[in-house]
Amino acid sequence: MLYTAAIAADEPSRIGFIVSKSVGNAVVRNLVKRRLREAGAASLREYGTGFAIVVRALPASAAASWDQLLADYNAALALNVNRLGSRLPRAAVNGSTGTTQEGTQRA
């Protein structure tokens, strides 16, 4: 499950993760969380500003491969961005690649 909201166009995008005990034991939850963080970091290259994203891992994510998890993440993000459509701040529509996850400039 992926939820997306538009925030101010000049604010750095934020990503949060929810991985409950229903996903698996601590080892499995941390693996899922690490994979989701990597997928989120990749998406920040395209959507560096203007988005607040929350990812809730479902129990099926524990058995998903990296490729499947990444494909599901990207598909859900693209769907949510398209649904937001005209409600997006102008800078967020064009994407921004100049910031890190924390919003600081890349070297």
Side-chain angles (χ1 to χ4, degrees):
M1 301 285 303
L2 190 137
Y3 306 96
T4 307
I7 56 176
D10 59 342
E11 287 189 45
S13 292
R14 300 182 297 245
I15 301 178
F17 303 97
I18 302 167
V19 184
S20 71
K21 287 185 177 183
S22 66
V23 172
N25 64 23
V27 174
V28 173
R29 290 193 312 268
N30 285 328
L31 174 67
V32 169
K33 197 181 321 177
R34 284 192 308 272
R35 288 178 173 177
L36 289 173
R37 278 189 199 136
E38 184 60 31
S43 69
L44 284 177
R45 292 182 197 105
E46 185 174 351
Y47 304 107
T49 60
F51 290 98
I53 301 168
V54 176
V55 181
R56 191 178 112 217
L58 298 176
S61 62
S65 68
W66 160 246
D67 293 329
Q68 184 61 44
L69 197 63
L70 181 62
D72 289 347
Y73 176 89
N74 288 333
L77 182 60
L79 181 67
N80 282 339
V81 168
N82 287 337
R83 283 185 182 166
L84 286 174
S86 63
R87 294 182 287 171
L88 292 176
R90 195 73 198 142
V93 172
N94 296 332
S96 174
T97 58
T99 60
T100 63
Q101 186 172 2
E102 295 80 23
T104 57
Q105 291 294 328
R106 293 189 188 278

